[in-house]
């Protein structure tokens, strides 16, 4: 059966990065019948060849005028670069799905996790993909909100090195090897050495004492859930895992919510898989969630603080998949279904 992106002309900007490579892999899986897939990175590396899952991909230096009207463009580059390029690409007829934070807080730009707010896409030609930590959190929160009403949400995160891109992965690998060899550890991609450490500092500190990463979860969570006043807070911590972010979540609900009801509801929620067999030592972990599409949710229990109106749970999602590439492709599938893309002849 044809995929919903069959025949579409697609470009990836930032194809050599952590998100860009994952976009190539997800598109191969979900849309093997694309019309064209053209991969771009900076001019610094010139034309090159990249290997993704054993297959070679040609990467070209990016040039705006190579993007033709009706092309679906995935941007997996810095916010500054997205801000300078995305409006021009939309102006010349492309549809842009942007992974950076450049446009997420602009009221007219939809910020979308399709399981939660696909309808927000409307006829937009520039759509923002959320921060990875938020994208893996909101499918579970949305399901709980529909049934029990969210009153307050408190999140603590355990975020993998690849959240800082290809450089983060490299620095953790190098740091681990250097620690074992008794050599000084690098600290360029992160503000401190990450190997054998945890760092409660991701992105810049804000005036309120929270980091920007923590505030992204609040700002973006509220926007996607359509709950602009929802009391939320987050503590975001970098941990020395390679891939998949984990989150400990506490919710207070408007209506009573037993752990059993929450488990049943989450098991039916789109984009979520319940992994919650404590006695068999089965619960969400980065090692089991890596490379998977659904977010693992487990350790679901009645809150000792909020009693019958609250639960605690733990989730792990592959932040390069649902937190970035997969979500972007799911958004593209919705866009394609409204006929906004050019198809190859
Ligand atoms: N990593 C995650 O888990 C994650 C999750 C969600 C969202 N995001 C966001 O997604 C974006 C990409 O993140 P990443 O982690 O993939 O970063 P990354 O690994 O550092 O990759 C950055 C990519 O941007 C390309 N690039 C840089 N300057 C360019 C230019 N002038 N023209 C064209 N391409 C250029 C780089 O190409 P070269 O090889 O030529 O340098 C590389 O392909 C960021 O905005 C990030 O915040 C990341």
């Amino acid at each position: 059966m044809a995929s919903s992106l069959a025949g579409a002309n697609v470009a990836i900007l930032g194809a050599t990065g952590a998100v860009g490579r994952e976009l190539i892999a997800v598109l191969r899986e979900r849309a093997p019948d694309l019309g064209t897939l053209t991969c771009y990175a900076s001019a610094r590396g010139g034309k090159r060849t990249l290997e993704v899952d054993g297959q070679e991909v040609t990467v070209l230096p990016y040039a705006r005028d190579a993007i033709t009207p009706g092309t679906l463009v995935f941007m997996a580059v810095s916010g500054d670069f997205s801000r300078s390029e995305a409006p021009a690409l939309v102006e010349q007829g492309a549809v842009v799905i942007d992974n950076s934070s450049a446009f997420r807080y602009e009221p007219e730009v939809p910020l979308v996790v399709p399981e939660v707010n696909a309808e927000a896409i409307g006829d937009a030609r520039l759509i923002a993909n959320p921060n990875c930590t938020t994208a893996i959190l909101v499918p579970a929160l949305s399901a709980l909100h529909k049934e029990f009403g969210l009153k307050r949400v408190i999140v603590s995160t355990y975020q993998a090195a690849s959240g800082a891109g290809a450089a983060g992965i490299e620095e953790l690998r190098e740091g681990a090897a250097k620690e074992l060899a008794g050599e000084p550890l690098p600290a360029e991609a992160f503000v401190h050495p990450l190997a054998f450490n945890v760092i409660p500092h991701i992105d810049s500190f804000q005036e309120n004492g929270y980091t920007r990463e923590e505030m992204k979860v609040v700002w973006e969570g509220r926007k996607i859930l359509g709950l602009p006043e929802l009391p939320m807070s987050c503590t975001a911590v970098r941990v020395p895992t390679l891939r998949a972010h984990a989150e400990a979540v506490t919710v207070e609900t408007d209506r009573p919510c037993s752990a059993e009801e929450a488990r049943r509801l989450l098991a039916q929620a789109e984009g979520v898989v319940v992994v919650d067999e404590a006695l068999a030592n089965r619960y969400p972990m980065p090692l089991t969630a890596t490379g998977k599409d659904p977010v693992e949710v487990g350790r679901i229990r009645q809150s000792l603080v909020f009693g019958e109106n609250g639960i605690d749970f733990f989730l792990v999602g592959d932040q390069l998949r649902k937190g970035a590439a997969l979500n972007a492709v799911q958004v593209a599938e919705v866009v394609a279904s409204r006929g906004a893309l050019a198809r190859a002849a």
Side-chain angles (χ1 to χ4, degrees):
M1 201 177 81
S3 80
S4 50
L5 291 171
N9 292 327
V10 174
I12 299 175
L13 267 61
T16 54
V19 175
R21 285 168 162 271
E22 199 62 30
L23 274 163
I24 295 169
V26 172
L27 284 168
R28 277 183 189 153
E29 283 167 29
R30 295 178 73 100
D33 47 5
L34 291 178
T36 57
L37 175 61
T38 316
C39 293
Y40 297 98
S42 74
R44 285 185 295 273
K47 183 175 174 182
R48 48 200 139 143
T49 306
L50 184 71
E51 197 182 293
V52 179
D53 297 335
Q55 273 176 263
E56 289 201 339
V57 180
T58 302
V59 179
L60 304 172
Y62 168 68
R64 187 192 295 168
D65 54 14
I67 306 290
T68 52
T71 301
L72 170 66
V73 180
F74 291 102
M75 299 195 77
V77 290
S78 68
D80 285 347
F81 189 71
S82 282
R83 195 166 282 289
S84 75
E85 286 305 301
L89 290 172
V90 170
E91 184 68 23
Q92 68 190 49
V95 174
V96 175
I97 300 175
D98 181 37
N99 278 283
S100 82
S101 59
F103 303 99
R104 291 177 190 157
Y105 314 117
E106 299 200 356
E108 71 283 7
V109 177
L111 177 67
V112 178
V113 171
E115 292 90 338
V116 179
N117 65 337
E119 72 290 346
I121 294 173
D123 58 3
R125 298 188 75 85
L126 170 60
I127 298 133
N129 217 34
N131 164 274
C132 43
T133 313
T134 312
I136 62 174
L137 171 67
V138 291
L141 287 186
S142 170
L144 292 169
H145 178 66
K146 281 184 195 141
E147 187 82 9
F148 307 111
L150 292 177
K151 193 167 176 191
R152 294 187 177 94
V153 178
I154 301 167
V155 184
S156 297
T157 74
Y158 310 77
Q159 298 184 216
S162 54
I169 302 172
E170 192 49 40
E171 187 160 304
L172 176 57
R173 288 208 163 107
E174 188 188 335
K178 290 204 156 157
E179 171 69 24
L180 297 177
E183 294 171 15
L185 304 191
E188 284 170 22
F190 306 107
V191 284
H192 298 281
L194 181 60
F196 302 94
N197 194 14
V198 297
I199 307 171
H201 175 185
I202 304 178
D203 210 333
S204 56
F205 282 103
Q206 309 290 288
E207 274 181 11
N208 65 0
Y210 286 80
T211 61
R212 191 166 168 79
E213 180 78 2
E214 291 162 347
M215 292 312 299
K216 283 177 185 173
V217 173
V218 175
W219 297 327
E220 297 177 26
R222 289 171 172 168
K223 182 170 175 178
I224 297 163
L225 291 164
L227 299 170
E229 307 296 331
L230 180 67
M232 276 184 96
S233 82
C234 178
T235 301
V237 181
R238 186 76 69 192
V239 299
T241 51
L242 278 172
R243 184 164 163 161
H245 290 351
E247 305 180 22
V249 187
T250 298
V251 300
E252 186 186 11
T253 52
D254 290 325
R255 296 178 286 284
C257 160
S258 73
E260 206 41 59
E261 284 173 299
R263 195 174 289 111
R264 181 187 45 76
L265 189 77
L266 290 168
Q268 293 162 5
E270 212 186 327
V272 169
V273 60
V274 170
V275 181
D276 198 19
E277 294 171 60
L279 297 182
N281 299 336
R282 288 192 70 243
Y283 26 70
M285 292 188 296
L287 281 182
T288 49
T290 289
K292 298 209 179 120
D293 288 351
V295 175
E296 294 187 346
V297 178
R299 299 293 323 282
I300 302 163
R301 58 211 191 276
Q302 206 72 48
S303 164
L304 290 178
V305 175
F306 299 117
E308 66 174 9
N309 279 45
I311 53 164
D312 287 325
F313 58 97
F314 192 72
L315 65 84
V316 184
D318 186 324
Q319 96 291 349
L320 288 171
R321 288 228 146 208
K322 185 58 192 166
L326 171 66
N327 195 74
V329 172
Q330 289 172 319
V331 167
E333 289 166 352
V334 178
V335 171
S337 68
R338 62 167 214 235
L341 305 176
R343 307 278 172 170

